[in-house]
Amino acid sequence: MSIAIIDYGMGNLRSVEQALNRVAAGHEIRVTSCPVYVAQAERVVFPGQGAMPACMAELDRRNLREAVLEAAASKPFLGICIGLQMLFSHSEEGDSPGLDCFAGQVFRFPNTMRSLDGECLDKRLGERLKVPHMGWNSVRQETSHPLWHGITDNARFYFVHSYYVALEDVSLSVGSCEYGFRFTAAVARDNIFAVQFHPEKSAADGLSLLSNFVRWRP
């Protein structure tokens, strides 16, 4: 099996590569910016860190946009962190369009904690929301999915992000997290699974998710 980890120059991809090597020994795993290899790979991982406008610009500069869109439409595809956000229509970060695989917007976390009805909780709790959201947090599994196999509900994963996705189709959500309010931590449809957290930095449960992705037959 061949697994392409898409390299568009953003983020530390070696930790993703090392984690996949641990769970997919014997398979061909390659960090690549070659659109031809991405097109030929049997599975694709789309990770990354950084600002949305720069990520989209680098994706286009390396002629990877069409390869990513084709992979997202045709083969097991795992998005990680901004690799989830880039799948959506638009980000308020730099007023940047995304790949529009999913309808929805990417927003920055507010500085104040709010309830689901929008009430500001600052005065009641005496807290401000620290941005970025960084560290370990529990993920509630919204629905069953093969990539959750063997992972307990509310398992903890590692997050580093200042932006979150707001879905137009809430049925896409397969995982959520609480940080000032509940936000989407994982989405899935057909051959795509994408997460806001970093499974490669999330110890045993993160490795379980990556192992499930290697075995997944959508």
Side-chain angles (χ1 to χ4, degrees):
M1 180 192 302
S2 57
I3 304 174
I5 303 170
I6 297 176
D7 177 10
Y8 52 100
M10 309 299 288
N12 178 13
L13 306 183
R14 297 303 166 185
S15 58
V16 179
E17 181 185 29
Q18 291 169 2
L20 280 170
N21 276 320
R22 290 186 62 182
V23 302
H27 296 299
E28 180 183 339
I29 299 166
R30 183 182 301 181
V31 176
T32 181
S33 58
C34 174
V36 174
Y37 185 82
V38 174
Q40 293 174 346
E42 296 171 67
R43 293 170 188 271
V44 168
V45 180
F46 188 41
Q49 298 170 202
M52 182 83 148
C55 289
M56 292 300 299
E58 281 299 305
L59 199 70
D60 285 335
R61 190 180 72 81
R62 300 180 186 217
N63 297 314
L64 283 164
R65 179 188 288 258
E66 290 307 316
V68 171
L69 289 172
E70 182 181 344
S74 63
K75 62 186 71 177
F77 185 100
L78 176 63
I80 298 174
C81 194
I82 202 164
L84 174 146
Q85 295 176 11
M86 292 169 72
L87 297 176
F88 283 81
S89 305
H90 183 269
S91 174
E92 71 172 0
E93 185 177 22
D95 191 23
S96 176
L99 294 170
D100 204 27
C101 297
F102 299 136
Q105 302 292 318
V106 181
F107 295 112
R108 191 180 190 277
F109 279 109
N111 290 323
T112 54
M113 298 179 69
R114 295 183 180 276
S115 65
L116 290 176
D117 62 5
E119 177 189 2
C120 179
L121 301 182
D122 245 358
K123 294 181 181 178
R124 189 193 311 174
L125 298 181
E127 291 186 51
R128 291 187 68 82
L129 197 62
K130 293 180 180 179
V131 182
H133 171 214
M134 181 182 299
W136 295 83
N137 210 336
S138 299
V139 173
R140 183 173 73 188
Q141 297 173 20
E142 303 288 351
T143 186
S144 62
H145 190 280
L147 266 67
W148 292 136
H149 177 73
I151 301 171
T152 60
D153 193 16
N154 292 310
R156 292 169 67 80
F157 293 89
Y158 189 80
F159 290 81
V160 183
H161 62 123
S162 299
Y163 292 78
Y164 67 96
V165 297
L167 311 178
E168 288 191 17
D169 180 1
V170 295
S171 70
L172 292 172
S173 179
V174 294
S176 64
C177 182
E178 186 82 24
Y179 191 64
F181 55 91
R182 187 157 292 279
F183 69 91
T184 297
V187 300
R189 186 180 68 191
D190 301 330
N191 58 295
I192 299 175
F193 193 93
V195 296
Q196 184 61 71
F197 53 84
H198 288 270
E200 76 280 7
K201 298 179 181 179
S202 298
D205 285 323
L207 291 177
S208 292
L209 189 146
L210 293 174
S211 179
N212 290 337
F213 171 70
V214 171
R215 299 194 306 269
W216 186 29
R217 297 288 186 271

